[in-house]
Amino acid sequence: MNNKLTSLLLGPSLAAALAVTLPATTLAADTEPEAPYVTSPDYVVDKMLELGNVGPGDYVIDLGSGDGRIAIAAAQQGAFALGVEIDPELVRRSRDNAAEAGVADRVMFLEQDLFKTDISDASVVMMYLLH
């Protein structure tokens, strides 16, 4: 794993950078969402991984990982990945998706606040933000 920390925050036209949380109705009463959950289009996931130069040896952290597609795609390219998501249903779905994709041994999903996540060991950090 290299020591560089690459933060990908792309403009809305590329729709990259993945800080994905859910509407307040699906979260604990004391948790306010920072952004709505929006599925990342496949072409955006591909472009994010390309721009991050993600490959074997990388440790990718996807903050607000939603259904896990970015972390799973990183694992499919040989990286180890961590998806952080506040919604328990999306964490469950992400784990199921990773198992179905055959990369459950290369990716982990945690139900936690992305603002409380230690990203110091990451070689690439990804978020998907809207306007």
Side-chain angles (χ1 to χ4, degrees), residues 2-80:
N2 62 40
N3 292 326
K4 74 179 191 308
L5 176 63
T6 304
S7 183
L8 294 178
L9 298 174
L10 304 178
S13 63
L14 293 178
L18 205 82
V20 180
T21 55
L22 289 179
T25 56
T26 62
L27 303 176
D30 63 342
T31 304
E32 288 295 322
E34 296 297 324
Y37 168 66
V38 177
T39 303
S40 307
D42 290 337
Y43 75 93
V44 172
V45 173
D46 294 343
K47 190 64 170 177
M48 290 173 70
L49 296 173
E50 177 187 328
L51 289 171
N53 198 28
V54 173
D58 276 315
Y59 176 44
V60 176
I61 297 179
D62 180 11
L63 298 173
S65 57
D67 64 3
R69 66 185 58 219
I70 291 174
I72 290 167
Q76 289 172 323
Q77 291 190 10
F80 286 95

Side-chain angles (χ1 to χ4, degrees), residues 1 3-7 59-63 82 84 112 114-127:
M1 187 177 328
N3 292 326
K4 74 179 191 308
L5 176 63
T6 304
S7 183
Y59 176 44
V60 176
I61 297 179
D62 180 11
L63 298 173
L82 169 65
V84 177
Q112 69 183 30
L114 64 90
F115 293 108
K116 297 178 182 175
T117 301
D118 179 4
I119 61 170
S120 62
D121 289 332
S123 57
V124 181
V125 174
M126 296 199 174
M127 302 178 79

